[in-house]
Amino acid sequence: MLDEYLKILHNEFSELETDKSFRELTTVEIGGPAKAFLEVKSSEELVKALIVVKTHSIPYFVIGGGSNLLVSDQGVDKLVIKVATRSIVVEEGLVRAQAGTSLQELVDFSIKNSLTGIQKMTGIPGTIGGAIYGNAGAYGQMIGDHLEFVSAYDLEKQEVVILTREECGFEYRSSAFKTNGCVILDATFKFSPGDKESLSRESSEVLAMRLKKYKPGLKCPGSFFRNLFTSEVPKSALEKLPPREDTYGKTPAYVFIEALGLKGRRVGDVEITDFHGNLFVNLGNGTAQDFWDLAHLCYQQVKDRFGVELHPEVQLVGLPSISSEFTVHSSPRLYRGSR
Ligand SMILES: Cc1cc2nc3c(=O)[nH]c(=O)nc-3n(C[C@H](O)[C@H](O)[C@H](O)COP(=O)(O)OP(=O)(O)OC[C@H]3O[C@@H](n4cnc5c(N)ncnc54)[C@H](O)[C@@H]3O)c2cc1C
């Protein structure tokens, strides 16, 4: 599909790479090649790339840190644009970060400057752009909470637009950017003053807890499935689960998976860790198909036993969705390689 556009892309971008493996671009270290790959280091370069793809109707896909992606073994037959723009500036009490800035950099910056609001999001990998796209969060804090506005390139209008927090449409692990065709350029936040020592302590406590789950060196895309709002889980399902304390009004996906004894289950070289039921890891030579099969197995067993549908938090790229529409087919492997 992309072959016909490669000449245009090479002419426009001298630094264009071809067949760049998604193993190098994702934390799970899985995925086939990006047919064409471009890393942009300024918002101007990013906008230029978006104008080129729009002008020539070139298929494209934007990534940040690749920490929430599972890409098919066949790769992506598109121009993959990695947003690597990095800066944090303060203007009139507002903090603006470019989309490619790592979330950790912003967390560290906020603590250093005694600003409260995202200190518990320490340890979440990835960029500001990716965090806003999926409304990343942890321990009761979410990236959207203190956001004032986002500047983005709107490919439909072909102009830079400003979206207020309301217009960003934040929901649990979701935002308007999943559907609005805008690419995030930068984000502006308004944090309240806080006490540096307390912020630092809170952040360290969270990091210590996180390190128990996300041991250094794990090849994973974060939690695989989204947690569920307890109010939306049928009572009959809750009754089948071991008693537990409510976590921010949610029932974690892992409790269903663990109740089924699936911790430690392995498909190919992908395994559910033996210490957390919603943590699927690449043991080294795992494939996207292994991942998908293991996730689908969990999805199906949870559905059969509890009547509850789990939905991936991870963005599946070039892979079929894991949802009820696929359970009617006898073999999900029929979808190998489909986009
Ligand atoms: C060890 C580990 C722990 C994690 N813990 C958490 C956690 O506690 N809480 C949590 O919420 N998540 C967590 N995650 C998941 C992940 O880190 C977050 O979702 C993160 O915000 C993704 O950012 P990214 O830059 O890596 O996005 P990517 O994975 O590169 O992309 C994710 C999506 O964002 C889109 N996107 C990226 N940049 C832009 C942009 N500039 N404009 C428009 N769209 C864009 C992409 O197209 C893609 O659809 C964890 C992941 C790992 C590996």
Side-chain angles (χ1 to χ4, degrees), residues 25-28 46 61-70 81-83 85 98-103 120-139 141-143 152 172-173 177-178 180 182-186 210 213-215 218-223 279 313-317:
L25 298 172
T26 56
T27 53
V28 71
L46 174 53
F61 182 61
V62 170
I63 64 166
S67 63
N68 204 26
L69 298 177
L70 179 64
I81 305 170
K82 180 178 165 80
V83 181
T85 56
Q98 281 190 299
T101 309
S102 81
L103 175 59
K120 292 184 184 173
M121 291 176 65
T122 193
I124 302 180
T127 62
I128 296 298
I132 290 174
Y133 179 92
N135 194 15
Y139 298 94
Q141 293 185 340
M142 276 174 287
I143 192 75
Y172 174 55
R173 295 294 179 270
F177 296 97
K178 292 198 173 179
N180 68 6
C182 290
V183 174
I184 299 155
L185 301 176
D186 57 61
R210 290 184 69 90
K213 176 177 174 189
Y214 297 114
K215 302 186 174 159
L218 276 190
K219 298 177 184 30
C220 76
S223 300
L279 189 54
E313 182 169 319
V314 172
Q315 308 296 311
L316 305 182
V317 183

